[in-house]
Amino acid sequence: MNGKFKKLLIPILVIGVLGYLFGWSSVLEIRSIEVSGLKGAKTLTSKKVIRKSGIELGDKLARVNAGDGAEALSAYPEVAGVEINRKPLHTIELVISLRQVDVALATNQGKFLLADRNGVTFVEVARPPKGIPVIAGDRRFVDDAMTIFDALPKKIRKRVERIELPSKASITLQLRGGLKILWGSAGDQEAKLTVLQALLVAPENKKARFIDIATPLTPTVR
């Protein structure tokens, strides 16, 4: 065996041994699976996440298909994103990003579907979380409702209890205390906000129960 052949053989043997250790032997097998990011989850548990990922104790660390695991977990509506990390020497970490609860969609059965701002729902509850606006009506216009809600000053936004969506042009805000605001469509936001704030501070409107600013140049108060 000449020297040149020996120089080639040694790297090949090293690569072969390492490949066996990482891909086939029990030296680097999975002995623990960690799950993080589930704080506040409504539908998920660590056990459900691990089972859905398809990763099991005893699997080889180097042979875990992170892409397949992430794709499987994305089937859960509450999951916004997944990161799968290998942690030497025997641990897999599943990091879950949850969808944010932005709205509660009222159902015909008197319950509420928690959803993100795109209307993606992931759990039904008997009562909406505190501080989350309830949206009732045509769900095609959830995006319009959220555009209006986000544009409101914080002081007014905190008072919104319900947003009614009978149509795209008749969006209505129900504020805590009994005031109802017919906002109309999501257009003319700046003008409507200016008119609304002026009407709310006017002494004569202190006991108003209805404000119509669908056409901001000709508002109605009663």
Side-chain angles (χ1 to χ4, degrees):
M1 186 180 293
N2 59 45
K4 185 176 182 180
F5 183 74
K6 286 182 178 180
K7 288 182 180 179
L8 290 173
L9 182 60
I10 291 173
I12 292 174
L13 289 173
V14 171
I15 292 172
V17 170
L18 290 176
Y20 171 76
L21 289 174
F22 279 94
W24 301 98
S25 78
S26 61
V27 174
L28 293 176
E29 70 180 11
I30 298 173
R31 298 178 186 173
S32 67
I33 303 175
E34 300 176 352
V35 180
S36 61
L38 294 185
K39 185 177 181 180
K42 306 297 182 183
T43 63
L44 300 175
T45 63
S46 293
K47 183 179 290 188
K48 287 178 69 173
V49 167
I50 292 172
R51 184 170 61 247
K52 188 69 172 179
S53 74
I55 300 171
E56 299 180 352
L57 297 179
D59 288 349
K60 308 310 176 189
L61 196 64
R63 298 177 66 191
V64 168
N65 191 317
D68 286 351
E71 184 177 355
L73 288 169
S74 67
Y76 286 127
E78 195 172 3
V79 173
V82 182
E83 184 179 324
I84 299 180
N85 302 318
R86 296 174 176 84
K87 298 172 67 175
L89 292 172
H90 305 286
T91 302
I92 280 286
E93 180 186 37
L94 308 177
V95 183
I96 308 299
S97 299
L98 298 176
R99 294 186 186 279
Q100 183 174 333
V101 179
D102 294 303
V103 297
L105 304 178
T107 71
N108 294 330
Q109 293 73 39
K111 294 188 177 181
F112 305 89
L113 290 169
L114 302 187
D116 65 12
R117 62 177 47 253
N118 297 313
V120 176
T121 60
F122 43 86
V123 67
E124 186 177 75
V125 297
R127 294 181 179 180
K130 187 177 181 180
I132 298 297
V134 171
I135 293 182
D138 196 326
R139 294 181 189 175
R140 292 177 299 170
F141 310 130
V142 169
D143 188 57
D144 296 89
M146 293 308 298
T147 297
I148 294 169
F149 183 74
D150 290 340
L152 295 172
K154 186 177 180 180
K155 187 175 181 180
I156 299 176
R157 190 164 63 240
K158 290 173 65 175
R159 293 179 58 192
V160 176
E161 291 185 329
R162 190 178 182 93
I163 304 176
E164 299 283 350
L165 305 178
S167 71
K168 188 179 181 69
S170 302
I171 298 173
T172 303
L173 310 178
Q174 180 68 55
L175 273 57
R176 187 174 64 254
L179 177 61
K180 182 175 288 189
I181 301 171
L182 176 58
W183 192 276
S185 70
D188 298 323
Q189 296 278 68
E190 189 173 341
K192 290 177 181 179
L193 283 171
T194 300
V195 171
L196 177 61
Q197 289 178 301
L199 292 173
L200 289 176
V201 298
E204 63 270 24
N205 297 329
K206 187 175 181 180
K207 295 183 179 181
R209 285 293 174 263
F210 179 80
I211 295 177
D212 179 352
I213 54 171
T215 305
L217 294 178
T218 56
T220 302
V221 180
R222 61 174 186 267

